[in-house]
């Protein structure tokens, strides 16, 4: 099973040209794809729904976890108007049906001197080739570790509460129309994928991946996550995904695929596609043994 996380910067490449088809061409074959900074009906990207455009090309099931969602009056070439939702957020594309989904909005700071965006975490329950999974995608704050720590704590809380809260609907009801078809059970294992905007040296990383012990190294907590890049045998300070020097392929590792500890033995490989220039980030691919 191959999964990809990729911040596509709404189709804007390193040449500052917007081309969502170039984004599609940059995606290798995979089973689950999580994209961040994807949008619908923004003038800068051609007033199209990028999620629908990509889903149609891939032929995948998809969900759009819009975190920015505002009214927009769109004029046609004949000056007639139609009304759409100008949206921005995260999306999940899956070869397999997405059985259930939820989107949570993350707490947001409101500084007077910086651009601040509403962010969120989107959950998809998918019956995959390695068993049922909860797949989360998110895009943490670009502002500061203080806000990112709030986002990490929120994401962990969502993950930990999922089993306790149960399916999106459960229990009997006197009105049997509610019981048309039972929703899927909540899987134990999960992936958290996305542009999380911190490096492995950040304390926010340890919140998700566990602290370190002088005897045992990184501690794999059962209700937290394992960094699949490291589980695949790579060094934590390698695999940069946001380049400062394009030619040297160096910068920061801020895009991740985290997995429940039980999935760590199934991690086969992790790879950054270093030559893709369709965004200001690089795609990260992780392969799991079936």
């Amino acid at each position: 099973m191959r999964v990809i996380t990729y911040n596509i910067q709404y189709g804007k490449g390193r040449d500052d040209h917007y081309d969502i088809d170039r984004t599609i061409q940059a995606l290798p074959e995979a089973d689950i794809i999580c994209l961040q900074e994807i949008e619908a009906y923004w003038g800068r990207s051609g007033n199209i729904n990028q999620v629908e455009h990509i889903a149609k090309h891939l032929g995948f099931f998809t969900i759009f976890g819009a975190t920015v969602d505002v009214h927009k009056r769109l004029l046609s070439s004949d000056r007639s108007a139609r009304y759409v939702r100008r949206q921005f957020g995260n999306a999940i594309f899956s070869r397999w049906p997405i059985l259930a989904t939820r989107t949570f909005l993350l707490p947001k700071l409101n500084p007077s001197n910086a651009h601040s965006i509403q962010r969120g975490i989107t959950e998809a329950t998918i019956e995959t080739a390695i068993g049922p999974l909860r797949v989360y995608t998110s895009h943490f704050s670009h502002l500061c570790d203080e806000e990112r720590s709030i986002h990490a704590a929120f994401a962990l809380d969502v993950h930990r509460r999922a089993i306790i809260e149960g399916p999106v609907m459960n229990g009997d009801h006197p009105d049997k129309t509610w019981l048309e078809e039972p929703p899927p059970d909540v899987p134990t294992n999960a992936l958290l994928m996305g542009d999380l905007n911190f490096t492995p040296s950040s304390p926010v990383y340890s919140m998700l991946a566990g602290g370190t012990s002088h005897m045992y190294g990184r501690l794999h907590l059962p209700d937290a996550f394992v960094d699949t890049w490291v589980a695949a045998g790579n060094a934590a300070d390698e695999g940069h995904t946001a380049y400062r020097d394009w030619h040297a392929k160096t910068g920061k590792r801020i895009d991740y695929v985290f997995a429940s500890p039980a999935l760590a033995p199934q991690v086969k490989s992790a790879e950054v596609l270093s030559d893709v220039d369709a965004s200001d980030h690089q795609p990260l691919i992780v392969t799991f043994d079936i």
Side-chain angles (χ1 to χ4, degrees):
M1 182 182 81
R2 297 182 85 198
V3 303
I4 298 175
T5 185
Y6 188 23
N7 179 329
I8 67 168
Q9 194 182 214
Y10 31 92
K12 181 182 177 182
R14 292 190 175 274
D15 58 2
D16 290 334
H17 179 64
Y18 295 86
D19 186 350
I20 197 64
D21 290 317
R22 176 172 56 182
T23 303
I24 294 170
Q25 292 166 8
L27 296 172
E29 185 175 349
D31 302 299
I32 298 173
I33 301 170
C34 291
L35 302 182
Q36 303 85 46
E37 291 198 13
I38 189 167
E39 63 190 26
Y41 301 113
W42 286 68
R44 63 190 178 190
S45 54
N47 281 318
I48 66 168
N49 187 318
Q50 293 182 333
V51 179
E52 292 180 356
H53 186 81
I54 294 174
K56 182 178 179 180
H57 177 87
L58 295 176
F60 277 20
F61 300 94
T62 186
I63 56 169
F64 185 13
T67 57
V68 173
D69 188 337
V70 296
H71 175 79
K72 179 171 183 175
R73 182 174 181 263
L74 190 62
L75 292 176
S76 302
S77 56
D78 62 359
R79 308 302 295 174
S80 61
R82 65 187 178 105
Y83 298 94
V84 295
R85 305 302 303 175
R86 182 162 61 95
Q87 298 173 313
F88 177 90
N90 312 301
I92 300 175
F93 301 83
S94 170
R95 186 180 306 279
W96 302 290
I98 297 172
L99 305 179
T101 180
R102 302 184 296 171
T103 291
F104 305 85
L105 297 181
L106 297 173
K108 176 180 174 293
L109 296 183
N110 187 25
S112 61
N113 62 337
H115 181 55
S116 179
I117 308 168
Q118 178 64 63
R119 301 180 185 271
I121 179 169
T122 294
E123 172 192 275
T125 298
I126 305 174
E127 185 68 53
T128 76
I130 63 170
L133 281 179
R134 280 175 288 125
V135 175
Y136 293 98
T137 187
S138 190
H139 184 192
F140 287 3
S141 171
H142 65 296
L143 292 177
C144 59
D145 261 357
E146 286 75 14
E147 188 171 26
R148 285 188 287 273
S149 66
I150 295 171
H151 292 174
F154 189 101
L156 277 173
D157 189 50
V158 167
H159 169 54
R160 290 165 175 166
R161 286 195 344 251
I163 299 297
I164 299 171
E165 292 178 347
V168 291
M169 293 186 297
N170 60 304
D172 199 4
H173 196 287
D175 180 353
K176 301 307 179 185
T177 61
W178 280 101
L179 310 177
E180 178 179 321
E181 186 175 346
D185 291 333
V186 177
T188 301
N189 289 323
L191 303 179
L192 171 60
M193 305 162 61
D195 171 8
L196 304 184
N197 267 317
F198 55 73
T199 64
S201 62
S202 165
V204 187
Y205 178 91
S206 295
M207 291 177 65
L208 294 174
T212 56
S213 163
H214 72 282
M215 292 178 62
Y216 303 105
R218 186 72 58 182
L219 301 176
H220 296 171
L221 304 179
D223 59 350
F225 293 101
V226 170
D227 181 354
T228 59
W229 175 260
V230 176
N234 302 298
D237 60 352
E238 297 178 349
H240 298 175
T241 57
Y243 293 156
R244 290 174 175 166
D245 186 328
W246 168 256
H247 298 289
K249 311 300 185 191
T250 57
K252 300 183 293 183
R253 183 163 80 95
I254 59 175
D255 299 83
Y256 297 90
V257 175
F258 285 109
S260 294
L263 298 176
Q266 292 176 265
V267 176
K268 181 179 180 181
S269 64
E271 177 188 5
V272 176
L273 298 186
S274 59
D275 292 325
V276 171
D277 62 357
S279 171
D280 60 344
H281 286 243
Q282 306 307 121
L284 170 62
I285 306 172
V286 176
T287 302
F288 293 83
D289 276 327
I290 298 176

